[in-house]
Amino acid sequence: MNKKGNLIFLGTGSSDGIPRVSCLTNPNKTCKVCESAKNPDSKNRRRNTSIAILTDRNFEKKNIIIDAGKTFWDSAIKFFPKYNIRYIDEIVITHAHADAVGGFDYFRDWTNFVQETVSVNLREQDLDAIKNIYFYLFENGKVKSKGPIPKTSFNIIDENPFDFDGFEITPIPVFHGKEYISFGYKFGKVAYISDVSKIPESSEKLLEDLDILIIDALRPEPAYFSHFTYDQALEVIKKFRPKKSYFTDIMCAVDHDEANYNLSKLKSSEGLDIELSYDGLNIEFIY
Ligand SMILES: [Zn+2]
Ligand SMILES: [Zn+2]
C-alpha cells in the first residue's frame, strides 16, 4: 500500500540568504525583494536550500533532512517546532559547499540534549571536505566521540540507491559548475535537485514519470556557471513533464508573488504546473 509523506522546504534561497546584507545596507535601497524579506514571514525570506522529509515508518514519524547549510539554525528555530521535528534521524548531503554543510556545528544542541549522534550520509569526497572544514570533529582521521562537539557518524554513499528502514533514496548525479558533480535525490516519485547547471544523460532516466520535481532555478537571467536559470529549468520540465514542479535556490532578483503569478500562466498556455517554493512550504507525497 502506498504511504504518505510530507516534505517541508526548510530553505529555498541561494547561498547568501535573503535578505542580503549588501542590499539592506545599500543607501539607494534598490532591492525591493530584500526590503520585503526583512519581514520574517515574507515569502521572500529565503534560507539556504534544504528540505525535511517526514516519513511514516513502523508507525513512527522519521525525519530525514537534506543539507544543513549556513542558515540551518535559522530554519530549525522557525520550522522544527512548527512541524514537530525533534529528532534528526538522518542527514543527507548533496555536496560540500558551505550552503549545504555550513550548519554542522549546530548538531551539538541535538547531541547534547536530544539524541546520541547525528547520522550524516555523504560521498567520500564530501567527507574529505568535512574533515578540513570541521577538523575539530576528528582525531587521527577518526571521528571524535568526546568533548564539547557535535557527535556525528558518517555513512559513505555513492551513486547507488540507499535506504533508511526501507525508505529508498536514489542519488541523481548532476553537474553543478563545469566539472563539479552534486547529488540530487529521488524518493518515491519525487526528485529534488537543488544545485544543478547541467543534467548528464546518464541521470535522465531518473526524471521520468515524476509526481513532483523540485529544481534549481536561480533567476530568469543572466546565465550562471553553476546554477540553472528559469529557461534551463523549464527545458527540463518540458522534456520530462512531471505532474508538478517547484523552483528552488532562488535569488533576490525574484519577487515571490510576481514570479509565481508569471509561472501560473504556463498552466493554461503550456500545461505546465510550476510554482515557486518558499521557506516553510509543506507538501505531501506518495511513496
Ligand atoms: Zn536583494
Ligand atoms: Zn553548491
Side-chain angles (χ1 to χ4, degrees), residues 25-75:
T25 54
N26 181 337
N28 299 324
K29 302 229 179 292
T30 43
C31 182
K32 281 192 205 129
V33 172
C34 283
E35 280 301 314
S36 83
K38 284 198 284 192
N39 171 1
D41 293 320
S42 162
K43 284 181 180 164
N44 285 329
R45 172 74 73 109
R46 301 181 186 117
R47 300 156 186 84
N48 294 161
T49 46
S50 169
I51 54 168
I53 305 166
L54 277 47
T55 68
D56 235 333
R57 278 172 288 154
N58 306 325
F59 307 102
E60 210 188 316
K61 283 263 182 240
K62 299 273 182 171
N63 308 319
I64 303 163
I65 312 288
I66 299 188
D67 286 341
K70 295 182 285 177
T71 59
F72 174 69
W73 175 78
D74 196 43
S75 295

Short mmCIF file of all heavy atoms in Angstrom, two decimals, residues 25-75:
data_model
loop_
_atom_site.label_atom_id
_atom_site.label_comp_id
_atom_site.label_asym_id
_atom_site.label_seq_id
_atom_site.Cartn_x
_atom_site.Cartn_y
_atom_site.Cartn_z
N THR A 25 22.02 47.33 3.21
CA THR A 25 22.88 48.47 3.55
C THR A 25 23.12 49.39 2.34
O THR A 25 23.81 50.39 2.48
CB THR A 25 24.25 47.99 4.08
OG1 THR A 25 24.83 47.10 3.12
CG2 THR A 25 24.10 47.27 5.41
N ASN A 26 22.57 49.04 1.21
CA ASN A 26 22.71 49.89 0.03
C ASN A 26 21.92 51.19 0.26
O ASN A 26 20.71 51.16 0.47
CB ASN A 26 22.15 49.14 -1.19
CG ASN A 26 22.26 49.94 -2.47
OD1 ASN A 26 22.35 51.17 -2.45
ND2 ASN A 26 22.25 49.23 -3.59
N PRO A 27 22.62 52.37 0.25
CA PRO A 27 21.92 53.62 0.57
C PRO A 27 20.76 53.92 -0.39
O PRO A 27 19.82 54.62 -0.02
CB PRO A 27 23.02 54.69 0.48
CG PRO A 27 24.18 54.04 -0.18
CD PRO A 27 24.05 52.57 -0.02
N ASN A 28 20.83 53.38 -1.59
CA ASN A 28 19.74 53.65 -2.55
C ASN A 28 18.55 52.71 -2.40
O ASN A 28 17.53 52.89 -3.06
CB ASN A 28 20.29 53.56 -3.98
CG ASN A 28 21.37 54.58 -4.23
OD1 ASN A 28 21.29 55.70 -3.71
ND2 ASN A 28 22.39 54.21 -4.98
N LYS A 29 18.68 51.71 -1.54
CA LYS A 29 17.60 50.76 -1.28
C LYS A 29 16.89 50.31 -2.57
O LYS A 29 15.68 50.42 -2.71
CB LYS A 29 16.56 51.37 -0.33
CG LYS A 29 17.13 51.81 1.00
CD LYS A 29 16.28 51.27 2.16
CE LYS A 29 16.79 51.63 3.52
NZ LYS A 29 18.06 51.02 3.91
N THR A 30 17.69 49.82 -3.51
CA THR A 30 17.13 49.48 -4.81
C THR A 30 16.50 48.09 -4.85
O THR A 30 15.77 47.76 -5.78
CB THR A 30 18.23 49.55 -5.90
OG1 THR A 30 19.40 48.93 -5.37
CG2 THR A 30 18.52 50.97 -6.30
N CYS A 31 16.78 47.24 -3.84
CA CYS A 31 16.27 45.87 -3.90
C CYS A 31 14.98 45.73 -3.08
O CYS A 31 15.01 45.59 -1.86
CB CYS A 31 17.33 44.89 -3.40
SG CYS A 31 16.78 43.19 -3.51
N LYS A 32 13.87 45.73 -3.78
CA LYS A 32 12.57 45.65 -3.11
C LYS A 32 12.37 44.28 -2.45
O LYS A 32 11.71 44.17 -1.42
CB LYS A 32 11.45 45.86 -4.14
CG LYS A 32 11.24 47.32 -4.48
CD LYS A 32 9.93 47.46 -5.26
CE LYS A 32 9.98 48.71 -6.12
NZ LYS A 32 9.64 48.48 -7.53
N VAL A 33 12.92 43.26 -3.10
CA VAL A 33 12.74 41.90 -2.58
C VAL A 33 13.42 41.77 -1.21
O VAL A 33 12.82 41.25 -0.25
CB VAL A 33 13.28 40.85 -3.58
CG1 VAL A 33 13.29 39.46 -2.98
CG2 VAL A 33 12.43 40.88 -4.85
N CYS A 34 14.64 42.26 -1.09
CA CYS A 34 15.34 42.17 0.19
C CYS A 34 14.66 43.05 1.24
O CYS A 34 14.58 42.67 2.41
CB CYS A 34 16.81 42.52 0.03
SG CYS A 34 17.75 41.16 -0.71
N GLU A 35 14.18 44.21 0.83
CA GLU A 35 13.45 45.07 1.79
C GLU A 35 12.23 44.32 2.34
O GLU A 35 11.98 44.31 3.53
CB GLU A 35 13.00 46.37 1.10
CG GLU A 35 14.10 47.42 0.97
CD GLU A 35 14.71 47.84 2.30
OE1 GLU A 35 13.96 48.11 3.25
OE2 GLU A 35 15.95 47.89 2.40
N SER A 36 11.48 43.66 1.45
CA SER A 36 10.29 42.94 1.92
C SER A 36 10.68 41.71 2.76
O SER A 36 9.94 41.29 3.65
CB SER A 36 9.40 42.53 0.75
OG SER A 36 9.85 41.33 0.17
N ALA A 37 11.88 41.17 2.47
CA ALA A 37 12.33 39.97 3.20
C ALA A 37 12.77 40.28 4.63
O ALA A 37 13.07 39.36 5.40
CB ALA A 37 13.44 39.27 2.43
N LYS A 38 12.81 41.57 4.98
CA LYS A 38 13.11 41.92 6.38
C LYS A 38 12.01 41.38 7.30
O LYS A 38 12.24 41.07 8.45
CB LYS A 38 13.24 43.44 6.54
CG LYS A 38 14.55 43.98 6.00
CD LYS A 38 14.87 45.36 6.53
CE LYS A 38 14.06 46.42 5.84
NZ LYS A 38 14.52 47.80 6.11
N ASN A 39 10.81 41.31 6.75
CA ASN A 39 9.70 40.70 7.49
C ASN A 39 9.93 39.18 7.54
O ASN A 39 9.96 38.52 6.51
CB ASN A 39 8.39 41.03 6.77
CG ASN A 39 7.21 40.26 7.33
OD1 ASN A 39 7.35 39.49 8.29
ND2 ASN A 39 6.06 40.46 6.73
N PRO A 40 10.10 38.62 8.77
CA PRO A 40 10.44 37.19 8.85
C PRO A 40 9.38 36.26 8.25
O PRO A 40 9.68 35.12 7.93
CB PRO A 40 10.59 36.93 10.35
CG PRO A 40 10.29 38.20 11.05
CD PRO A 40 10.01 39.28 10.06
N ASP A 41 8.17 36.74 8.08
CA ASP A 41 7.14 35.88 7.50
C ASP A 41 6.96 36.09 5.99
O ASP A 41 6.09 35.48 5.37
CB ASP A 41 5.81 36.11 8.21
CG ASP A 41 5.88 35.62 9.65
OD1 ASP A 41 6.49 34.55 9.87
OD2 ASP A 41 5.37 36.31 10.55
N SER A 42 7.77 36.96 5.43
CA SER A 42 7.68 37.22 3.99
C SER A 42 8.08 35.97 3.21
O SER A 42 9.01 35.26 3.59
CB SER A 42 8.61 38.37 3.62
OG SER A 42 8.86 38.38 2.23
N LYS A 43 7.40 35.71 2.10
CA LYS A 43 7.80 34.57 1.25
C LYS A 43 9.09 34.88 0.50
O LYS A 43 9.65 34.00 -0.16
CB LYS A 43 6.67 34.22 0.29
CG LYS A 43 5.55 33.46 1.01
CD LYS A 43 4.43 33.06 0.09
CE LYS A 43 3.37 32.32 0.90
NZ LYS A 43 2.11 32.22 0.17
N ASN A 44 9.54 36.11 0.59
CA ASN A 44 10.85 36.46 0.01
C ASN A 44 12.00 36.18 0.98
O ASN A 44 13.16 36.30 0.59
CB ASN A 44 10.88 37.92 -0.41
CG ASN A 44 10.09 38.16 -1.69
OD1 ASN A 44 10.00 37.29 -2.54
ND2 ASN A 44 9.49 39.34 -1.80
N ARG A 45 11.71 35.83 2.22
CA ARG A 45 12.78 35.48 3.17
C ARG A 45 13.24 34.07 2.82
O ARG A 45 12.47 33.11 2.93
CB ARG A 45 12.22 35.53 4.60
CG ARG A 45 13.18 35.00 5.67
CD ARG A 45 14.32 35.94 5.97
NE ARG A 45 13.92 37.11 6.71
CZ ARG A 45 14.21 37.36 7.99
NH1 ARG A 45 14.91 36.48 8.68
NH2 ARG A 45 13.82 38.46 8.57
N ARG A 46 14.47 33.94 2.35
CA ARG A 46 14.92 32.63 1.87
C ARG A 46 16.24 32.23 2.51
O ARG A 46 17.21 32.96 2.46
CB ARG A 46 15.09 32.65 0.34
CG ARG A 46 13.82 33.01 -0.40
CD ARG A 46 13.99 32.99 -1.91
NE ARG A 46 12.79 33.49 -2.57
CZ ARG A 46 12.75 34.58 -3.33
NH1 ARG A 46 13.84 35.28 -3.58
NH2 ARG A 46 11.60 34.97 -3.86
N ARG A 47 16.22 31.05 3.08
CA ARG A 47 17.44 30.48 3.68
C ARG A 47 18.09 29.52 2.68
O ARG A 47 17.53 29.26 1.63
CB ARG A 47 17.04 29.76 4.98
CG ARG A 47 16.40 30.69 6.00
CD ARG A 47 15.52 29.95 6.99
NE ARG A 47 14.79 30.87 7.85
CZ ARG A 47 13.63 31.46 7.55
NH1 ARG A 47 13.05 31.24 6.38
NH2 ARG A 47 13.03 32.27 8.41
N ASN A 48 19.23 28.94 3.04
CA ASN A 48 19.94 28.02 2.13
C ASN A 48 19.05 26.81 1.82
O ASN A 48 18.35 26.29 2.70
CB ASN A 48 21.24 27.52 2.76
CG ASN A 48 22.27 28.62 2.97
OD1 ASN A 48 23.19 28.46 3.77
ND2 ASN A 48 22.15 29.74 2.28
N THR A 49 19.14 26.34 0.60
CA THR A 49 18.26 25.24 0.17
C THR A 49 18.41 24.01 1.07
O THR A 49 19.52 23.55 1.33
CB THR A 49 18.56 24.81 -1.28
OG1 THR A 49 19.96 24.68 -1.44
CG2 THR A 49 18.02 25.80 -2.28
N SER A 50 17.28 23.53 1.50
CA SER A 50 17.24 22.35 2.38
C SER A 50 15.80 21.88 2.45
O SER A 50 14.88 22.70 2.35
CB SER A 50 17.74 22.76 3.76
OG SER A 50 17.50 21.76 4.73
N ILE A 51 15.60 20.57 2.59
CA ILE A 51 14.24 20.07 2.83
C ILE A 51 14.25 19.07 3.99
O ILE A 51 15.28 18.46 4.28
CB ILE A 51 13.60 19.39 1.59
CG1 ILE A 51 14.49 18.28 1.04
CG2 ILE A 51 13.24 20.39 0.51
CD1 ILE A 51 13.80 17.40 0.02
N ALA A 52 13.11 18.96 4.63
CA ALA A 52 12.88 17.90 5.61
C ALA A 52 11.89 16.93 4.99
O ALA A 52 10.86 17.35 4.47
CB ALA A 52 12.33 18.48 6.90
N ILE A 53 12.24 15.64 5.01
CA ILE A 53 11.32 14.61 4.54
C ILE A 53 10.79 13.90 5.77
O ILE A 53 11.57 13.34 6.56
CB ILE A 53 12.04 13.60 3.63
CG1 ILE A 53 12.74 14.31 2.47
CG2 ILE A 53 11.07 12.56 3.09
CD1 ILE A 53 13.74 13.43 1.72
N LEU A 54 9.49 13.95 5.96
CA LEU A 54 8.88 13.30 7.13
C LEU A 54 8.16 12.05 6.63
O LEU A 54 7.19 12.16 5.88
CB LEU A 54 7.88 14.25 7.79
CG LEU A 54 8.42 15.29 8.78
CD1 LEU A 54 9.62 16.03 8.27
CD2 LEU A 54 7.34 16.28 9.17
N THR A 55 8.67 10.90 7.01
CA THR A 55 8.06 9.66 6.53
C THR A 55 7.44 8.93 7.71
O THR A 55 7.75 9.19 8.86
CB THR A 55 9.12 8.73 5.90
OG1 THR A 55 9.98 8.27 6.94
CG2 THR A 55 9.93 9.44 4.85
N ASP A 56 6.58 7.99 7.36
CA ASP A 56 5.91 7.19 8.36
C ASP A 56 6.51 5.80 8.32
O ASP A 56 6.24 5.05 7.40
CB ASP A 56 4.43 7.09 7.95
CG ASP A 56 3.55 7.55 9.07
OD1 ASP A 56 3.98 7.44 10.22
OD2 ASP A 56 2.44 8.01 8.77
N ARG A 57 7.37 5.47 9.26
CA ARG A 57 7.95 4.13 9.23
C ARG A 57 7.70 3.44 10.55
O ARG A 57 7.94 4.01 11.61
CB ARG A 57 9.45 4.20 8.93
CG ARG A 57 9.70 4.35 7.45
CD ARG A 57 11.14 4.62 7.18
NE ARG A 57 11.50 5.97 7.58
CZ ARG A 57 12.73 6.33 7.92
NH1 ARG A 57 13.68 5.44 7.97
NH2 ARG A 57 12.98 7.57 8.24
N ASN A 58 7.22 2.23 10.50
CA ASN A 58 6.90 1.47 11.72
C ASN A 58 6.05 2.31 12.67
O ASN A 58 6.29 2.38 13.86
CB ASN A 58 8.17 1.03 12.44
CG ASN A 58 9.08 0.26 11.51
OD1 ASN A 58 8.59 -0.48 10.66
ND2 ASN A 58 10.37 0.44 11.64
N PHE A 59 5.07 2.98 12.10
CA PHE A 59 4.12 3.80 12.85
C PHE A 59 4.79 4.95 13.60
O PHE A 59 4.30 5.46 14.58
CB PHE A 59 3.30 2.95 13.82
CG PHE A 59 2.64 1.80 13.16
CD1 PHE A 59 3.15 0.52 13.26
CD2 PHE A 59 1.51 1.99 12.36
CE1 PHE A 59 2.56 -0.55 12.60
CE2 PHE A 59 0.92 0.94 11.69
CZ PHE A 59 1.44 -0.34 11.81
N GLU A 60 5.95 5.31 13.15
CA GLU A 60 6.67 6.36 13.82
C GLU A 60 7.15 7.34 12.75
O GLU A 60 7.67 6.92 11.73
CB GLU A 60 7.89 5.75 14.50
CG GLU A 60 8.34 6.46 15.74
CD GLU A 60 9.66 5.86 16.21
OE1 GLU A 60 9.79 4.61 16.22
OE2 GLU A 60 10.55 6.63 16.51
N LYS A 61 6.98 8.61 12.99
CA LYS A 61 7.50 9.59 12.02
C LYS A 61 9.02 9.60 12.07
O LYS A 61 9.62 9.58 13.14
CB LYS A 61 6.99 10.99 12.37
CG LYS A 61 5.55 11.20 11.97
CD LYS A 61 5.46 11.92 10.63
CE LYS A 61 4.02 12.17 10.25
NZ LYS A 61 3.62 11.56 8.99
N LYS A 62 9.64 9.56 10.90
CA LYS A 62 11.10 9.68 10.84
C LYS A 62 11.43 10.92 10.04
O LYS A 62 10.78 11.23 9.05
CB LYS A 62 11.69 8.46 10.15
CG LYS A 62 11.41 7.17 10.86
CD LYS A 62 12.45 6.88 11.91
CE LYS A 62 12.13 5.54 12.56
NZ LYS A 62 13.16 5.05 13.43
N ASN A 63 12.47 11.59 10.46
CA ASN A 63 12.82 12.85 9.85
C ASN A 63 14.17 12.75 9.13
O ASN A 63 15.18 12.46 9.76
CB ASN A 63 12.91 13.95 10.92
CG ASN A 63 11.66 13.99 11.78
OD1 ASN A 63 10.55 13.86 11.28
ND2 ASN A 63 11.83 14.14 13.08
N ILE A 64 14.12 12.96 7.84
CA ILE A 64 15.34 12.97 7.03
C ILE A 64 15.53 14.39 6.53
O ILE A 64 14.62 14.98 5.96
CB ILE A 64 15.20 12.02 5.82
CG1 ILE A 64 14.88 10.59 6.28
CG2 ILE A 64 16.46 12.05 4.96
CD1 ILE A 64 14.32 9.70 5.18
N ILE A 65 16.71 14.93 6.78
CA ILE A 65 16.97 16.32 6.36
C ILE A 65 17.99 16.30 5.23
O ILE A 65 19.06 15.67 5.38
CB ILE A 65 17.55 17.16 7.54
CG1 ILE A 65 16.74 16.98 8.82
CG2 ILE A 65 17.70 18.63 7.14
CD1 ILE A 65 15.39 17.60 8.85
N ILE A 66 17.69 16.93 4.12
CA ILE A 66 18.68 17.05 3.06
C ILE A 66 19.36 18.42 3.19
O ILE A 66 18.71 19.46 3.07
CB ILE A 66 18.05 16.89 1.65
CG1 ILE A 66 17.42 15.49 1.53
CG2 ILE A 66 19.11 17.11 0.57
CD1 ILE A 66 16.93 15.13 0.14
N ASP A 67 20.64 18.38 3.50
CA ASP A 67 21.53 19.54 3.65
C ASP A 67 21.28 20.36 4.92
O ASP A 67 20.14 20.54 5.36
CB ASP A 67 21.48 20.47 2.43
CG ASP A 67 22.19 19.87 1.23
OD1 ASP A 67 23.00 18.96 1.43
OD2 ASP A 67 21.91 20.32 0.10
N ALA A 68 22.38 20.81 5.49
CA ALA A 68 22.34 21.68 6.67
C ALA A 68 23.39 22.76 6.45
O ALA A 68 24.55 22.60 6.80
CB ALA A 68 22.63 20.87 7.94
N GLY A 69 23.00 23.82 5.80
CA GLY A 69 23.93 24.86 5.38
C GLY A 69 24.09 25.96 6.41
O GLY A 69 23.77 25.81 7.59
N LYS A 70 24.56 27.10 5.92
CA LYS A 70 24.89 28.22 6.79
C LYS A 70 23.70 28.72 7.59
O LYS A 70 23.85 29.30 8.65
CB LYS A 70 25.44 29.37 5.94
CG LYS A 70 26.73 29.05 5.24
CD LYS A 70 27.24 30.24 4.45
CE LYS A 70 26.44 30.46 3.17
NZ LYS A 70 26.89 31.64 2.43
N THR A 71 22.49 28.55 7.05
CA THR A 71 21.30 29.08 7.72
C THR A 71 20.48 27.98 8.41
O THR A 71 19.31 28.16 8.72
CB THR A 71 20.40 29.81 6.70
OG1 THR A 71 20.04 28.87 5.69
CG2 THR A 71 21.11 30.99 6.07
N PHE A 72 21.12 26.84 8.66
CA PHE A 72 20.40 25.69 9.23
C PHE A 72 19.70 26.05 10.55
O PHE A 72 18.54 25.71 10.78
CB PHE A 72 21.37 24.53 9.44
CG PHE A 72 20.76 23.36 10.16
CD1 PHE A 72 19.80 22.58 9.54
CD2 PHE A 72 21.14 23.04 11.46
CE1 PHE A 72 19.22 21.50 10.21
CE2 PHE A 72 20.57 21.97 12.13
CZ PHE A 72 19.61 21.20 11.50
N TRP A 73 20.42 26.77 11.41
CA TRP A 73 19.85 27.13 12.72
C TRP A 73 18.59 27.98 12.55
O TRP A 73 17.57 27.77 13.22
CB TRP A 73 20.90 27.88 13.54
CG TRP A 73 20.42 28.40 14.84
CD1 TRP A 73 20.23 27.69 15.99
CD2 TRP A 73 20.04 29.75 15.16
NE1 TRP A 73 19.78 28.51 16.99
CE2 TRP A 73 19.66 29.79 16.51
CE3 TRP A 73 20.01 30.94 14.41
CZ2 TRP A 73 19.24 30.96 17.14
CZ3 TRP A 73 19.61 32.10 15.04
CH2 TRP A 73 19.21 32.11 16.39
N ASP A 74 18.67 28.93 11.64
CA ASP A 74 17.53 29.83 11.42
C ASP A 74 16.32 29.06 10.88
O ASP A 74 15.17 29.32 11.27
CB ASP A 74 17.96 30.94 10.44
CG ASP A 74 17.01 32.11 10.47
OD1 ASP A 74 16.60 32.52 11.57
OD2 ASP A 74 16.67 32.63 9.39
N SER A 75 16.57 28.09 10.01
CA SER A 75 15.48 27.24 9.51
C SER A 75 14.90 26.41 10.66
O SER A 75 13.69 26.28 10.80
CB SER A 75 15.98 26.26 8.45
OG SER A 75 16.42 26.94 7.31
#
